[in-house]
Amino acid sequence: THITQSAMRRCGSRVLKLRPPSFAYEAGRRQRFPFSTFTIADIPEVKEAKICAERGDWGGALQLLDRASMVLSSVPEMKMQTMSRAADIHQKQGDISKEISERQRILQLAAESGSSQYVPLAAKALSIALLRGGELDKAVMHNIEALQDVKNQNSLIRMGSQLVTAVILTHHPRRSGEVLGIIDGVVAECSKEGSAGKAQGEGEGSDDQALEMEKNLAATRCVGELVRVRYYHHSQDSGRRGIGDDNSSQHISAPTTAAAAAGTALAEAHSLLEGHMSGDEALRHPTLLLLGVSSSLGELSGVCLAARGSCYGVLEDASIALEETCLNKAIKRFEAMEEEGGEKGSLYLANALRSLAKLRGRKGDGVVAEGLFRSVLSKLNQFPKSILEAELRIATLRDYAALLEKMEWNGRSRKPEGDKLFLEASATEQEMFKEKTGENTEPHNIHIGSITDQWLLNAFGRMPF
């Protein structure tokens, strides 16, 4: 308590002296307090930076985090956490080049400080940042190099790196055909470890250990199957646009039944995960931390439900009832996340409601769909201006506009209203990019579309602490 009381902060016009957080940590360590008694959240600058970020004051948040980072040189693990928060803010700003630079410094610090457990986590986050920046080949190369460094470590760490490579390749214009081989390898390794674990469990009589391993493998399989779903959905989108080359022709021509099969595989893995979840949905399970996934089990389960629903939606004779059931269950998960606090749950919820609005539009419930689109836009107005909010807003405006094009009111087409929304979406996009680059050019080439995309980029793109 005396440490907290002696710590001072800058507030408004008052400039006061901050006692170094490193001193507080060292003092706690000398008194044999566990590390968890003093965390990064206890640092006044970090607390104020969180408040700044919540109101969209990115510059103020970055200044505070930079100040905290400077005094944490003697505590590299806490310094990495502070730097990671700064990188996350650069990501929200849409300043991908600064995010990449910050994540490169985090990786260097992890390697130089001997914090080997953080090296693969930092490498994954950097690879996703490079993906966001459009440097796909560099992202693949970098992650493969990082994968070589984790060969002798925990198998979950290795599989996490393999899955990041697969995520990157789903966006690659020439190498997407390699994705399924990677995912199949991860699923096969899960099955192999599961069989070995059962044999070992029978010999030792450890039921708890066997159940924990089953949960680990179920979570890993869920992540792998989400990447597979993303792969097939991209196949359908690319096929409709006529995109592809010789190396990816098989990927592009994948039938809708393959996407449905991916949904079935995901449903099996998700059912196993749900069977092992017992009140720890809000916790960040050790399995996800080792995979390098910044997510809770409940969040992962919600994303799986939404992805399963989207798989029903790709079939020509789509079972809308099943798709809607999955989406409604996912929405309940995200509503629970939103109630727990944090912007992430609200953004997932907004995207899930957007998906539900599109589904109701396909059912012919235009009035309900319009109400849902309006609800999404109203929810997005509550968030600070960021690249994540802007991308969802643009997608929602365009989907809403497409709905209005097909609607009438008192015998008159509502297409003019839709055209206005299209223009608003284009203006939002141009303004967003102009703010970051000074011209109407795009600073990155990855857009968040589906909830699966949203989760894969966010979960692997941020270091889990």
Side-chain angles (χ1 to χ4, degrees):
T1 302
H2 73 277
I3 291 171
T4 304
Q5 290 174 343
S6 66
M8 299 194 149
R9 60 183 181 175
R10 179 190 301 264
C11 183
S13 60
R14 294 176 297 161
V15 180
L16 302 175
K17 201 170 184 179
L18 170 74
R19 201 161 189 182
S22 55
F23 167 81
Y25 169 74
E26 291 298 329
R29 186 181 62 80
R30 286 197 298 272
Q31 295 176 50
R32 297 184 179 180
F33 290 134
F35 178 79
S36 60
T37 61
F38 185 85
T39 68
I40 187 175
D42 296 313
I43 300 172
E45 276 86 349
V46 175
K47 289 181 179 179
E48 290 190 34
K50 182 180 179 181
I51 295 172
C52 287
E54 287 173 350
R55 64 171 181 256
D57 180 8
W58 310 122
L62 288 169
Q63 287 181 359
L64 289 160
L65 290 172
D66 184 58
R67 196 187 320 154
S69 181
M70 286 191 294
V71 296
L72 284 170
S73 299
S74 62
V75 196
E77 289 186 2
M78 296 183 76
K79 182 174 182 177
M80 276 187 280
Q81 293 182 51
T82 307
M83 295 170 68
S84 181
R85 292 192 181 206
D88 293 344
I89 288 177
H90 287 309
Q91 180 192 115
K92 289 183 177 180
Q93 282 184 302
D95 200 331
I96 306 301
S97 61
K98 286 186 179 179
E99 181 195 354
I100 290 172
S101 297
E102 190 73 8
R103 297 204 187 279
Q104 287 173 332
R105 286 192 288 269
I106 295 170
L107 179 58
Q108 183 178 359
L109 177 60
E112 292 176 350
S113 64
S115 303
S116 58
Q117 71 273 29
Y118 289 114
V119 171
L121 302 180
K124 292 182 182 76
L126 174 56
S127 294
I128 295 298
L130 290 167
L131 168 63
R132 286 179 180 274
E135 300 182 59
L136 275 69
D137 290 319
K138 191 173 180 180
V140 172
M141 180 184 67
H142 174 83
N143 197 60
I144 289 176
E145 290 175 354
L147 182 59
Q148 294 172 351
D149 295 334
V150 301
K151 279 185 177 178
N152 298 322
Q153 295 194 37
N154 186 289
S155 60
L156 289 173
I157 297 176
R158 183 177 64 255
M159 286 191 281
S161 294
Q162 291 171 332
L163 288 172
V164 170
T165 298
V167 170
I168 296 167
L169 290 178
T170 61
H171 294 272
H172 203 288
R174 297 179 302 280
R175 298 183 58 186
S176 55
E178 301 172 34
V179 171
L180 292 183
I182 296 173
I183 299 171
D184 289 341
V186 169
V187 172
E189 186 167 359
C190 284
S191 299
K192 182 179 178 182
E193 290 204 6
S195 300
K198 286 181 181 178
Q200 186 179 10
E202 289 172 2
E204 298 178 359
S206 175
D207 292 337
D208 290 342
Q209 186 177 5
L211 287 173
E212 189 63 22
M213 175 169 284
E214 287 180 13
K215 182 188 287 188
N216 293 346
L217 299 177
T220 305
R221 277 190 60 191
C222 280
V223 178
E225 297 301 346
L226 282 173
V227 181
R228 193 193 303 272
V229 168
R230 198 276 160 194
Y231 166 88
Y232 280 120
H233 282 190
H234 179 66
S235 300
Q236 300 305 318
D237 292 341
S238 298
R240 281 191 288 267
R241 292 193 305 264
I243 298 174
D245 54 32
D246 292 339
N247 294 329
S248 61
S249 58
Q250 183 177 0
H251 167 56
I252 298 305
S253 61
T256 55
T257 51
T264 300
L266 174 60
E268 292 175 359
H270 181 231
S271 296
L272 290 174
L273 178 65
E274 289 273 282
H276 291 293
M277 287 172 60
S278 55
D280 55 358
E281 291 86 351
L283 301 178
R284 292 191 174 186
H285 195 268
T287 301
L288 299 180
L289 295 177
L290 286 171
L291 286 172
V293 172
S294 179
S295 172
S296 66
L297 288 175
E299 179 183 326
L300 172 59
S301 179
V303 173
C304 287
L305 284 165
R308 287 171 59 184
S310 67
C311 288
Y312 290 121
V314 301
L315 297 174
E316 291 182 4
D317 56 342
S319 178
I320 292 182
L322 288 173
E323 182 181 0
E324 190 168 8
T325 298
C326 286
L327 270 177
N328 283 325
K329 288 181 179 179
I331 286 169
K332 288 184 179 180
R333 287 282 189 188
F334 298 142
E335 285 176 340
M337 284 179 61
E338 186 179 47
E339 289 176 3
E340 292 165 6
E343 179 188 32
K344 188 161 60 169
S346 297
L347 287 172
Y348 285 129
L349 178 57
N351 209 355
L353 290 172
R354 180 176 74 92
S355 297
L356 183 60
K358 292 168 65 178
L359 180 147
R360 296 306 292 262
R362 295 203 313 273
K363 286 179 65 174
D365 298 336
V367 175
V368 175
E370 183 173 9
L372 287 167
F373 280 131
R374 287 179 177 273
S375 176
V376 173
L377 292 173
S378 176
K379 182 174 288 292
L380 291 176
N381 288 334
Q382 302 171 17
F383 301 136
K385 191 176 181 181
S386 72
I387 192 78
L388 305 178
E389 175 271 335
E391 287 181 338
L392 278 178
R393 180 180 298 278
I394 291 166
T396 302
L397 286 169
R398 287 176 174 162
D399 291 337
Y400 187 7
L403 172 72
L404 292 179
E405 282 189 343
K406 303 172 184 177
M407 294 181 68
E408 292 184 352
W409 179 254
N410 290 333
R412 297 180 62 181
S413 172
R414 298 188 64 186
K415 186 177 182 301
E417 295 177 58
D419 291 340
K420 289 181 180 179
L421 292 179
F422 271 123
L423 289 174
E424 184 180 345
S426 298
T428 302
E429 188 172 42
Q430 290 178 8
E431 183 62 27
M432 178 177 63
F433 296 145
K434 188 175 182 180
E435 286 181 3
K436 302 313 304 175
T437 64
E439 33 182 80
N440 293 331
T441 55
E442 199 169 333
H444 68 307
N445 74 334
I446 302 301
H447 292 284
I448 291 175
S450 68
I451 295 174
T452 305
D453 265 343
Q454 185 181 6
W455 185 82
L456 288 172
L457 293 178
N458 288 339
F460 280 121
R462 298 184 179 183
M463 289 184 67
F465 288 107

